[in-house]
Amino acid sequence: MSKSTVVMKFGGTSVQDAPAIRRLVEIVETRKGLNRLVVVSALAKVTDSLVALCKDCEAGNRPQALARVEELKERHLAVARELGLKTETIDQVSELFLDLEGLVSALGALKEVSPRSKDRLLATGELGSSLLVSGALESIGRSSIVDSRDFIVTDSQYGGAQVNFSATNARISLVTWDGAEEIKVAQGFIGKDQNGVTTTLGRGGSDYSAAVYGTCLSAVKIEIWTDVDGILTTDPRLVPEATILPKMHFSEAAELAYFGAKVLHPATIYPALEKRIPVWILNSKNPTARGTEITFSEERAPAGISGIAFKRNVTLVNIYSTRMLGAHGFLKSVFDIFARHQLSVDLISTSEVNVSLTLDGNFSPEMLSRAKAELEQIAQVEVHAERSVVAVVGRGIRTTPGLAGQIFSEISDTNVQMISMGASELNISFVIENGELPAVVQRLHRKLQPGKTS
Ligand code: ADP
Ligand code: ASP
Ligand code: MG
Protein backbone atom coordinates (compact mmCIF):
# COMPACT_ATOMS: atom_id res chain seq x y z
CA MET A 1 0.00 0.00 0.00
CA SER A 2 1.28 3.49 -0.78
CA LYS A 3 2.27 5.61 2.18
CA SER A 4 0.82 8.93 3.26
CA THR A 5 2.49 12.08 1.97
CA VAL A 6 3.50 15.22 3.82
CA VAL A 7 4.48 18.46 2.10
CA MET A 8 6.90 20.59 4.11
CA LYS A 9 7.59 24.13 2.88
CA PHE A 10 10.58 26.03 4.24
CA GLY A 11 10.64 29.82 3.76
CA GLY A 12 13.67 32.05 3.19
CA THR A 13 14.80 32.38 6.81
CA SER A 14 14.43 28.62 7.28
CA VAL A 15 17.08 28.02 4.58
CA GLN A 16 19.09 31.21 5.02
CA ASP A 17 22.44 29.62 5.90
CA ALA A 18 24.12 26.32 6.76
CA PRO A 19 22.83 26.16 10.39
CA ALA A 20 19.26 26.79 9.14
CA ILE A 21 19.57 24.05 6.53
CA ARG A 22 20.91 21.67 9.22
CA ARG A 23 17.81 22.43 11.29
CA LEU A 24 15.67 21.73 8.21
CA VAL A 25 17.36 18.33 7.84
CA GLU A 26 16.59 17.49 11.48
CA ILE A 27 12.96 18.52 11.05
CA VAL A 28 12.53 16.49 7.86
CA GLU A 29 14.00 13.49 9.64
CA THR A 30 11.23 13.65 12.25
CA ARG A 31 8.69 12.96 9.46
CA LYS A 32 10.34 9.66 8.57
CA GLY A 33 7.84 6.97 7.59
CA LEU A 34 5.88 9.37 5.37
CA ASN A 35 6.51 10.23 1.73
CA ARG A 36 8.22 13.59 2.14
CA LEU A 37 8.13 16.44 -0.36
CA VAL A 38 10.15 19.45 0.77
CA VAL A 39 9.29 22.73 -0.98
CA VAL A 40 11.90 25.46 -0.65
CA SER A 41 12.05 29.22 -1.03
CA ALA A 42 15.19 31.05 -2.04
CA LEU A 43 17.67 31.77 0.77
CA ALA A 44 16.56 34.82 2.78
CA LYS A 45 16.86 38.11 0.85
CA VAL A 46 18.06 36.39 -2.35
CA THR A 47 14.90 37.22 -4.30
CA ASP A 48 15.20 40.87 -3.19
CA SER A 49 18.75 40.86 -4.44
CA LEU A 50 17.71 39.38 -7.79
CA VAL A 51 15.03 42.06 -8.12
CA ALA A 52 17.66 44.73 -7.42
CA LEU A 53 19.89 43.13 -10.02
CA CYS A 54 17.15 43.47 -12.65
CA LYS A 55 16.93 47.18 -11.82
CA ASP A 56 20.71 47.50 -12.24
CA CYS A 57 20.45 45.89 -15.67
CA GLU A 58 17.66 48.25 -16.70
CA ALA A 59 19.71 51.21 -15.55
CA GLY A 60 22.62 49.89 -17.61
CA ASN A 61 24.70 49.39 -14.47
CA ARG A 62 26.23 46.13 -15.58
CA PRO A 63 29.23 46.15 -13.21
CA GLN A 64 26.94 46.51 -10.20
CA ALA A 65 24.64 43.74 -11.48
CA LEU A 66 27.60 41.42 -12.06
CA ALA A 67 28.95 42.22 -8.59
CA ARG A 68 25.61 41.09 -7.16
CA VAL A 69 25.80 37.84 -9.13
CA GLU A 70 29.26 37.23 -7.71
CA GLU A 71 28.07 37.93 -4.17
CA LEU A 72 25.14 35.54 -4.55
CA LYS A 73 27.36 32.86 -6.03
CA GLU A 74 29.85 33.17 -3.17
CA ARG A 75 27.06 33.02 -0.59
CA HIS A 76 25.61 29.80 -2.06
CA LEU A 77 29.03 28.21 -2.50
CA ALA A 78 29.99 29.08 1.07
CA VAL A 79 26.83 27.39 2.38
CA ALA A 80 27.49 24.34 0.16
CA ARG A 81 31.04 24.05 1.52
CA GLU A 82 29.97 24.56 5.11
CA LEU A 83 27.42 21.77 4.69
CA GLY A 84 30.13 19.54 3.22
CA LEU A 85 28.16 18.88 0.02
CA LYS A 86 29.69 16.69 -2.66
CA THR A 87 31.68 18.16 -5.55
CA GLU A 88 28.95 17.36 -8.06
CA THR A 89 26.47 19.56 -6.18
CA ILE A 90 29.01 22.34 -5.77
CA ASP A 91 29.60 22.23 -9.52
CA GLN A 92 25.87 22.46 -10.18
CA VAL A 93 25.68 25.55 -7.95
CA SER A 94 28.59 27.12 -9.85
CA GLU A 95 26.93 26.34 -13.18
CA LEU A 96 23.66 27.90 -12.07
CA PHE A 97 25.41 31.17 -11.30
CA LEU A 98 27.49 31.01 -14.47
CA ASP A 99 24.20 30.84 -16.32
CA LEU A 100 22.92 33.83 -14.35
CA GLU A 101 26.08 35.74 -15.15
CA GLY A 102 25.58 35.16 -18.89
CA LEU A 103 21.98 36.30 -18.68
CA VAL A 104 22.82 39.42 -16.63
CA SER A 105 25.62 40.32 -18.95
CA ALA A 106 23.28 40.24 -21.94
CA LEU A 107 20.43 42.07 -20.20
CA GLY A 108 22.82 44.69 -18.82
CA ALA A 109 24.02 45.40 -22.35
CA LEU A 110 20.45 45.67 -23.65
CA LYS A 111 19.42 47.79 -20.64
CA GLU A 112 16.11 46.03 -20.75
CA VAL A 113 14.57 43.30 -18.62
CA SER A 114 11.22 42.06 -19.88
CA PRO A 115 8.83 40.50 -17.34
CA ARG A 116 9.62 37.18 -19.00
CA SER A 117 13.40 37.57 -18.57
CA LYS A 118 12.85 38.76 -15.01
CA ASP A 119 11.04 35.55 -14.10
CA ARG A 120 13.81 33.47 -15.59
CA LEU A 121 16.31 35.46 -13.54
CA LEU A 122 14.33 35.30 -10.27
CA ALA A 123 13.98 31.53 -10.57
CA THR A 124 17.72 31.29 -9.80
CA GLY A 125 16.96 31.82 -6.10
CA GLU A 126 14.75 28.77 -5.68
CA LEU A 127 16.89 26.67 -8.06
CA GLY A 128 19.94 27.45 -5.90
CA SER A 129 18.29 26.66 -2.59
CA SER A 130 16.85 23.38 -3.93
CA LEU A 131 20.38 22.24 -4.84
CA LEU A 132 21.69 23.08 -1.37
CA VAL A 133 18.77 21.53 0.51
CA SER A 134 18.66 18.39 -1.59
CA GLY A 135 22.41 18.01 -1.12
CA ALA A 136 22.11 18.43 2.64
CA LEU A 137 19.24 15.92 2.90
CA GLU A 138 21.49 13.23 1.50
CA SER A 139 22.91 12.92 5.01
CA ILE A 140 19.64 11.28 6.13
CA GLY A 141 18.39 9.47 3.05
CA ARG A 142 18.26 9.49 -0.70
CA SER A 143 17.24 12.84 -2.03
CA SER A 144 16.13 13.94 -5.47
CA ILE A 145 14.99 17.21 -7.00
CA VAL A 146 11.52 17.62 -8.46
CA ASP A 147 11.98 20.48 -10.92
CA SER A 148 8.86 22.61 -10.44
CA ARG A 149 9.18 23.88 -14.01
CA ASP A 150 8.20 20.37 -15.13
CA PHE A 151 5.23 20.10 -12.76
CA ILE A 152 3.65 23.48 -12.04
CA VAL A 153 1.95 24.53 -15.28
CA THR A 154 0.92 28.18 -15.41
CA ASP A 155 -0.38 30.82 -17.77
CA SER A 156 2.03 33.45 -19.10
CA GLN A 157 1.35 36.31 -16.68
CA TYR A 158 4.99 36.76 -15.77
CA GLY A 159 5.56 37.96 -12.23
CA GLY A 160 2.22 36.64 -11.03
CA ALA A 161 1.34 33.58 -13.08
CA GLN A 162 -1.86 31.62 -12.44
CA VAL A 163 -1.58 27.88 -12.01
CA ASN A 164 -3.42 25.73 -14.53
CA PHE A 165 -4.73 23.27 -12.00
CA SER A 166 -5.83 20.43 -14.21
CA ALA A 167 -2.60 20.34 -16.23
CA THR A 168 -0.57 20.63 -13.01
CA ASN A 169 -2.58 17.94 -11.28
CA ALA A 170 -2.08 15.57 -14.20
CA ARG A 171 1.68 15.93 -13.81
CA ILE A 172 2.05 15.99 -10.04
CA SER A 173 -0.20 13.02 -9.47
CA LEU A 174 2.36 10.94 -11.39
CA VAL A 175 5.06 11.64 -8.76
CA THR A 176 5.90 8.48 -6.83
CA TRP A 177 8.37 7.68 -4.09
CA ASP A 178 10.96 5.01 -4.44
CA GLY A 179 11.07 3.49 -0.98
CA ALA A 180 10.95 4.89 2.55
CA GLU A 181 14.29 6.66 2.43
CA GLU A 182 13.63 8.86 -0.57
CA ILE A 183 13.06 12.57 0.07
CA LYS A 184 11.97 14.85 -2.74
CA VAL A 185 12.81 18.54 -2.95
CA ALA A 186 10.86 20.97 -5.15
CA GLN A 187 11.34 24.70 -5.72
CA GLY A 188 8.56 26.95 -4.53
CA PHE A 189 7.55 30.09 -6.43
CA ILE A 190 8.37 28.88 -9.97
CA GLY A 191 6.64 27.08 -12.81
CA LYS A 192 6.50 27.02 -16.59
CA ASP A 193 3.89 28.20 -19.06
CA GLN A 194 2.46 26.15 -21.94
CA ASN A 195 5.33 27.33 -24.17
CA GLY A 196 7.94 26.02 -21.78
CA VAL A 197 8.95 29.47 -20.50
CA THR A 198 9.80 29.88 -16.79
CA THR A 199 7.24 31.82 -14.74
CA THR A 200 6.89 32.93 -11.12
CA LEU A 201 3.78 32.94 -8.95
CA GLY A 202 4.24 36.36 -7.29
CA ARG A 203 6.22 37.35 -4.21
CA GLY A 204 5.73 35.01 -1.27
CA GLY A 205 4.38 32.40 -3.72
CA SER A 206 6.22 29.38 -2.30
CA ASP A 207 3.44 28.86 0.24
CA TYR A 208 1.07 28.55 -2.68
CA SER A 209 3.38 26.08 -4.46
CA ALA A 210 3.35 23.92 -1.34
CA ALA A 211 -0.44 23.99 -1.24
CA VAL A 212 -0.64 23.03 -4.92
CA TYR A 213 1.74 20.10 -4.44
CA GLY A 214 -0.05 19.04 -1.26
CA THR A 215 -3.45 19.10 -2.93
CA CYS A 216 -2.38 17.26 -6.09
CA LEU A 217 -0.62 14.61 -3.97
CA SER A 218 -3.62 14.35 -1.59
CA ALA A 219 -1.17 14.93 1.26
CA VAL A 220 -2.22 14.23 4.83
CA LYS A 221 -0.74 17.55 5.87
CA ILE A 222 0.83 20.71 4.45
CA GLU A 223 3.41 22.21 6.78
CA ILE A 224 4.57 25.81 6.31
CA TRP A 225 7.84 26.18 8.25
CA THR A 226 8.71 29.81 8.92
CA ASP A 227 10.33 32.10 11.54
CA VAL A 228 7.40 32.62 13.94
CA ASP A 229 5.56 30.17 16.19
CA GLY A 230 2.48 30.17 13.97
CA ILE A 231 -0.18 32.67 12.99
CA LEU A 232 -0.26 35.38 15.63
CA THR A 233 -2.96 37.85 16.50
CA THR A 234 -1.03 40.44 14.49
CA ASP A 235 2.45 40.98 13.06
CA PRO A 236 4.86 40.65 16.02
CA ARG A 237 7.18 43.17 14.37
CA LEU A 238 4.58 45.82 15.15
CA VAL A 239 3.07 44.38 18.32
CA PRO A 240 5.58 42.24 20.23
CA GLU A 241 2.88 41.05 22.66
CA ALA A 242 0.87 39.44 19.83
CA THR A 243 -0.16 35.94 20.84
CA ILE A 244 -0.29 32.66 18.98
CA LEU A 245 -3.54 31.36 17.52
CA PRO A 246 -3.29 27.59 18.03
CA LYS A 247 -6.24 26.76 15.84
CA MET A 248 -7.85 28.88 13.15
CA HIS A 249 -10.77 28.42 10.88
CA PHE A 250 -9.63 28.46 7.26
CA SER A 251 -11.93 31.35 6.40
CA GLU A 252 -10.28 33.57 9.00
CA ALA A 253 -6.76 32.52 8.04
CA ALA A 254 -7.57 33.29 4.40
CA GLU A 255 -8.95 36.69 5.38
CA LEU A 256 -5.91 37.60 7.50
CA ALA A 257 -3.61 36.56 4.65
CA TYR A 258 -5.65 38.53 2.13
CA PHE A 259 -5.39 41.68 4.25
CA GLY A 260 -1.63 41.42 4.48
CA ALA A 261 -0.52 38.93 7.18
CA LYS A 262 2.67 37.98 5.39
CA VAL A 263 3.02 34.69 7.26
CA LEU A 264 0.78 33.03 4.66
CA HIS A 265 0.39 33.81 0.96
CA PRO A 266 -3.31 34.61 0.39
CA ALA A 267 -3.84 31.94 -2.27
CA THR A 268 -2.51 29.11 -0.07
CA ILE A 269 -5.70 28.00 1.62
CA TYR A 270 -7.89 27.48 -1.44
CA PRO A 271 -6.28 24.43 -3.02
CA ALA A 272 -6.06 22.82 0.43
CA LEU A 273 -9.72 23.61 1.05
CA GLU A 274 -10.74 21.56 -1.96
CA LYS A 275 -9.52 18.37 -0.29
CA ARG A 276 -9.74 19.64 3.28
CA ILE A 277 -6.04 19.11 3.85
CA PRO A 278 -4.90 20.51 7.20
CA VAL A 279 -2.36 23.31 6.90
CA TRP A 280 0.06 23.90 9.79
CA ILE A 281 2.23 26.96 10.34
CA LEU A 282 5.36 25.99 12.28
CA ASN A 283 8.58 27.59 13.47
CA SER A 284 11.78 26.06 12.09
CA LYS A 285 13.76 27.73 14.90
CA ASN A 286 11.42 26.30 17.52
CA PRO A 287 10.23 23.03 16.00
CA THR A 288 8.70 21.61 19.15
CA ALA A 289 6.25 24.51 19.52
CA ARG A 290 2.74 23.42 18.62
CA GLY A 291 2.23 25.91 15.76
CA THR A 292 -1.07 26.95 14.24
CA GLU A 293 -3.45 24.44 12.76
CA ILE A 294 -5.77 25.74 10.07
CA THR A 295 -8.90 23.71 10.35
CA PHE A 296 -11.85 23.20 8.04
CA SER A 297 -14.21 22.00 10.71
CA GLU A 298 -16.85 24.43 11.95
CA GLU A 299 -17.24 23.25 15.51
CA ARG A 300 -13.58 22.88 16.42
CA ALA A 301 -12.45 26.35 15.45
CA PRO A 302 -12.78 29.09 18.05
CA ALA A 303 -14.98 32.07 17.26
CA GLY A 304 -14.34 35.66 18.38
CA ILE A 305 -11.92 38.17 16.92
CA SER A 306 -8.86 36.36 15.76
CA GLY A 307 -6.51 39.02 14.55
CA ILE A 308 -5.61 42.34 13.00
CA ALA A 309 -3.97 42.42 9.59
CA PHE A 310 -2.72 45.39 7.64
CA LYS A 311 -1.30 46.40 4.30
CA ARG A 312 0.94 49.41 3.82
CA ASN A 313 1.27 51.54 0.71
CA VAL A 314 -2.13 51.09 -0.80
CA THR A 315 -3.67 53.78 -2.98
CA LEU A 316 -7.08 55.23 -2.19
CA VAL A 317 -9.17 56.45 -5.12
CA ASN A 318 -12.27 58.59 -4.57
CA ILE A 319 -14.58 58.97 -7.53
CA TYR A 320 -17.42 61.52 -7.44
CA SER A 321 -20.15 61.87 -9.98
CA THR A 322 -23.71 63.09 -9.85
CA ARG A 323 -24.26 60.76 -12.81
CA MET A 324 -24.24 57.93 -10.30
CA LEU A 325 -27.63 59.08 -9.03
CA GLY A 326 -30.06 56.56 -10.42
CA ALA A 327 -27.84 55.86 -13.43
CA HIS A 328 -27.40 52.39 -14.85
CA GLY A 329 -24.00 51.02 -15.55
CA PHE A 330 -21.87 53.72 -13.89
CA LEU A 331 -20.06 51.30 -11.59
CA LYS A 332 -19.59 48.92 -14.49
CA SER A 333 -17.84 51.67 -16.48
CA VAL A 334 -15.62 52.43 -13.48
CA PHE A 335 -14.60 48.80 -12.99
CA ASP A 336 -14.11 48.26 -16.71
CA ILE A 337 -11.55 51.07 -16.67
CA PHE A 338 -9.64 49.53 -13.77
CA ALA A 339 -9.76 46.12 -15.40
CA ARG A 340 -8.51 47.47 -18.73
CA HIS A 341 -5.50 48.97 -17.00
CA GLN A 342 -4.88 45.81 -14.98
CA LEU A 343 -5.41 47.54 -11.66
CA SER A 344 -6.91 45.25 -9.07
CA VAL A 345 -9.41 46.73 -6.69
CA ASP A 346 -9.24 45.55 -3.09
CA LEU A 347 -11.77 47.37 -0.94
CA ILE A 348 -14.79 49.27 -2.11
CA SER A 349 -17.47 51.40 -0.56
CA THR A 350 -20.16 53.38 -2.34
CA SER A 351 -22.70 56.10 -1.64
CA GLU A 352 -25.20 57.77 -3.95
CA VAL A 353 -22.67 60.05 -5.57
CA ASN A 354 -19.33 58.66 -4.57
CA VAL A 355 -17.35 55.45 -4.85
CA SER A 356 -14.16 54.93 -2.86
CA LEU A 357 -11.84 52.08 -3.50
CA THR A 358 -8.32 50.93 -2.76
CA LEU A 359 -5.69 49.54 -5.09
CA ASP A 360 -2.88 47.28 -4.06
CA GLY A 361 0.67 48.67 -4.43
CA ASN A 362 1.51 46.37 -7.32
CA PHE A 363 1.29 48.70 -10.36
CA SER A 364 3.28 51.35 -12.14
CA PRO A 365 2.46 55.08 -11.84
CA GLU A 366 1.79 55.11 -15.61
CA MET A 367 -0.92 52.45 -15.29
CA LEU A 368 -2.68 54.54 -12.66
CA SER A 369 -2.39 57.85 -14.50
CA ARG A 370 -3.80 56.30 -17.69
CA ALA A 371 -6.75 54.89 -15.74
CA LYS A 372 -7.25 58.24 -13.97
CA ALA A 373 -7.38 60.10 -17.29
CA GLU A 374 -10.13 57.78 -18.51
CA LEU A 375 -12.08 58.01 -15.27
CA GLU A 376 -11.94 61.80 -15.48
CA GLN A 377 -14.06 61.64 -18.61
CA ILE A 378 -16.97 60.38 -16.53
CA ALA A 379 -16.29 61.65 -13.00
CA GLN A 380 -14.17 63.73 -10.66
CA VAL A 381 -11.26 61.71 -9.34
CA GLU A 382 -8.96 62.06 -6.34
CA VAL A 383 -5.99 59.77 -5.81
CA HIS A 384 -4.30 59.44 -2.41
CA ALA A 385 -1.15 57.36 -2.22
CA GLU A 386 0.70 56.12 0.90
CA ARG A 387 -2.35 54.86 2.69
CA SER A 388 -2.73 51.71 4.79
CA VAL A 389 -5.58 49.26 5.16
CA VAL A 390 -6.24 47.80 8.60
CA ALA A 391 -8.57 44.80 8.92
CA VAL A 392 -10.01 43.38 12.11
CA VAL A 393 -10.77 39.76 11.33
CA GLY A 394 -12.79 37.11 13.08
CA ARG A 395 -15.86 34.95 12.91
CA GLY A 396 -17.15 36.75 15.98
CA ILE A 397 -17.59 39.98 14.02
CA ARG A 398 -21.05 39.07 12.84
CA THR A 399 -22.10 38.16 16.37
CA THR A 400 -20.41 40.88 18.44
CA PRO A 401 -22.76 43.84 18.87
CA GLY A 402 -21.18 47.28 18.90
CA LEU A 403 -17.81 46.13 17.64
CA ALA A 404 -17.54 48.84 14.99
CA GLY A 405 -18.34 51.39 17.71
CA GLN A 406 -15.55 50.03 19.91
CA ILE A 407 -13.05 50.12 17.06
CA PHE A 408 -13.76 53.64 15.90
CA SER A 409 -14.14 55.19 19.34
CA GLU A 410 -10.74 53.74 20.30
CA ILE A 411 -9.13 55.54 17.36
CA SER A 412 -11.46 58.54 17.24
CA ASP A 413 -8.53 60.93 16.85
CA THR A 414 -7.42 59.16 13.67
CA ASN A 415 -8.41 60.35 10.22
CA VAL A 416 -10.26 57.28 8.89
CA GLN A 417 -10.69 57.75 5.16
CA MET A 418 -12.86 54.81 4.19
CA ILE A 419 -14.61 51.97 5.97
CA SER A 420 -15.69 48.66 4.54
CA MET A 421 -17.31 45.66 6.13
CA GLY A 422 -16.55 42.53 4.15
CA ALA A 423 -19.53 40.80 2.60
CA SER A 424 -18.30 37.67 4.37
CA GLU A 425 -18.89 39.53 7.67
CA LEU A 426 -15.50 38.26 8.74
CA ASN A 427 -13.79 41.61 8.70
CA ILE A 428 -14.15 45.29 9.33
CA SER A 429 -11.52 47.16 7.39
CA PHE A 430 -10.61 50.79 7.02
CA VAL A 431 -8.09 53.09 5.41
CA ILE A 432 -5.71 55.45 7.23
CA GLU A 433 -2.46 57.28 6.46
CA ASN A 434 0.69 55.12 6.46
CA GLY A 435 2.16 57.16 9.29
CA GLU A 436 -0.73 56.39 11.64
CA LEU A 437 -0.54 52.63 11.11
CA PRO A 438 1.73 51.45 13.96
CA ALA A 439 -0.14 53.34 16.69
CA VAL A 440 -3.56 52.33 15.36
CA VAL A 441 -2.70 48.62 15.23
CA GLN A 442 -1.10 48.74 18.68
CA ARG A 443 -4.07 50.52 20.25
CA LEU A 444 -6.64 48.24 18.64
CA HIS A 445 -4.71 45.15 19.65
CA ARG A 446 -4.69 46.32 23.26
CA LYS A 447 -8.37 47.23 23.17
CA LEU A 448 -9.80 44.22 21.31
CA GLN A 449 -7.42 41.56 22.65
CA PRO A 450 -7.82 39.31 19.61
CA GLY A 451 -7.52 35.60 20.28
CA LYS A 452 -8.89 36.02 23.82
CA THR A 453 -12.58 35.85 23.04
CA SER A 454 -12.46 32.21 22.04
P1 ADP B 1 8.87 32.98 5.04
O1 ADP B 1 10.14 33.52 4.49
O2 ADP B 1 9.07 31.81 5.96
O3 ADP B 1 7.82 32.73 3.99
P2 ADP B 1 7.62 35.50 5.69
O4 ADP B 1 8.58 36.59 6.05
O5 ADP B 1 7.00 35.50 4.35
O6 ADP B 1 8.31 34.10 6.02
O7 ADP B 1 6.43 35.48 6.79
C1 ADP B 1 6.73 35.43 8.16
C2 ADP B 1 6.60 36.81 8.77
O8 ADP B 1 5.24 37.25 8.65
C3 ADP B 1 6.84 36.87 10.26
O9 ADP B 1 8.23 37.01 10.54
C4 ADP B 1 6.02 38.08 10.71
O10 ADP B 1 6.80 39.23 10.88
C5 ADP B 1 5.07 38.32 9.55
N1 ADP B 1 3.66 38.35 9.97
C6 ADP B 1 2.75 39.29 9.60
N2 ADP B 1 1.56 39.08 10.16
C7 ADP B 1 1.68 37.97 10.93
C8 ADP B 1 0.79 37.23 11.76
N3 ADP B 1 -0.49 37.58 11.91
N4 ADP B 1 1.27 36.13 12.37
C9 ADP B 1 2.55 35.76 12.22
N5 ADP B 1 3.44 36.41 11.47
C10 ADP B 1 3.03 37.50 10.82
N1 ASP C 1 11.51 33.67 -2.86
C1 ASP C 1 10.21 34.23 -3.22
C2 ASP C 1 10.03 35.58 -2.55
O1 ASP C 1 10.90 36.02 -1.82
C3 ASP C 1 9.07 33.32 -2.91
C4 ASP C 1 8.86 33.00 -1.45
O2 ASP C 1 9.76 33.19 -0.64
O3 ASP C 1 7.77 32.52 -1.12
O4 ASP C 1 9.06 36.23 -2.78
MG1 MG D 1 6.54 34.01 2.90
Side-chain angles (χ1 to χ4, degrees), residues 185-206:
V185 178
Q187 306 86 11
F189 185 53
I190 66 171
K192 237 183 207 177
D193 68 10
Q194 306 277 4
N195 305 317
V197 180
T198 302
T199 55
T200 66
L201 308 180
R203 295 302 306 266
S206 296

Side-chain angles (χ1 to χ4, degrees), residues 252-267 269 309 311:
E252 291 171 311
E255 203 95 341
L256 274 183
Y258 178 77
F259 283 105
K262 197 185 163 215
V263 65
L264 201 62
H265 185 277
I269 308 278
K311 259 189 217 174

Side-chain angles (χ1 to χ4, degrees), residues 9-12 40-43 45-48 122 125-126 188-189 202-208 265:
K9 178 261 173 177
F10 290 84
V40 290
S41 289
L43 274 54
K45 303 272 187 304
V46 166
T47 310
D48 290 341
L122 294 191
E126 272 65 17
F189 185 53
R203 295 302 306 266
S206 296
D207 298 337
Y208 182 49
H265 185 277

Side-chain angles (χ1 to χ4, degrees), residues 252 302-306 393-401 403 425-426 453:
E252 291 171 311
I305 294 166
S306 47
V393 172
R395 287 198 301 158
I397 284 178
R398 63 176 85 130
T399 51
T400 311
L403 183 64
E425 296 182 28
L426 285 176
T453 41

Side-chain angles (χ1 to χ4, degrees), residues 323-324 326-336 378:
R323 280 198 239 168
M324 269 181 86
H328 296 286
F330 180 79
L331 285 178
K332 179 175 184 310
S333 322
V334 167
F335 286 108
D336 282 348
I378 56 168

Side-chain angles (χ1 to χ4, degrees), residues 194-314:
Q194 306 277 4
N195 305 317
V197 180
T198 302
T199 55
T200 66
L201 308 180
R203 295 302 306 266
S206 296
D207 298 337
Y208 182 49
S209 309
V212 171
Y213 274 112
T215 306
C216 297
L217 291 166
S218 297
V220 288
K221 220 187 325 179
I222 296 165
E223 297 180 344
I224 307 286
W225 290 89
T226 182
D227 61 355
V228 280
D229 277 346
I231 300 185
L232 306 177
T233 48
T234 193
D235 191 336
R237 279 180 290 198
L238 215 56
V239 182
E241 62 275 19
T243 54
I244 176 100
L245 296 159
K247 208 174 267 184
M248 274 195 99
H249 193 257
F250 81 89
S251 57
E252 291 171 311
E255 203 95 341
L256 274 183
Y258 178 77
F259 283 105
K262 197 185 163 215
V263 65
L264 201 62
H265 185 277
T268 313
I269 308 278
Y270 294 100
L273 170 64
E274 198 183 301
K275 290 193 181 159
R276 298 191 153 233
I277 300 173
V279 178
W280 284 79
I281 317 297
L282 297 154
N283 189 348
S284 67
K285 289 190 181 144
N286 185 16
T288 53
R290 185 185 180 279
T292 296
E293 177 187 8
I294 297 175
T295 154
F296 296 97
S297 112
E298 287 297 327
E299 71 279 10
R300 279 168 64 215
I305 294 166
S306 47
I308 303 172
F310 53 84
K311 259 189 217 174
R312 284 193 178 86
N313 296 323
V314 301

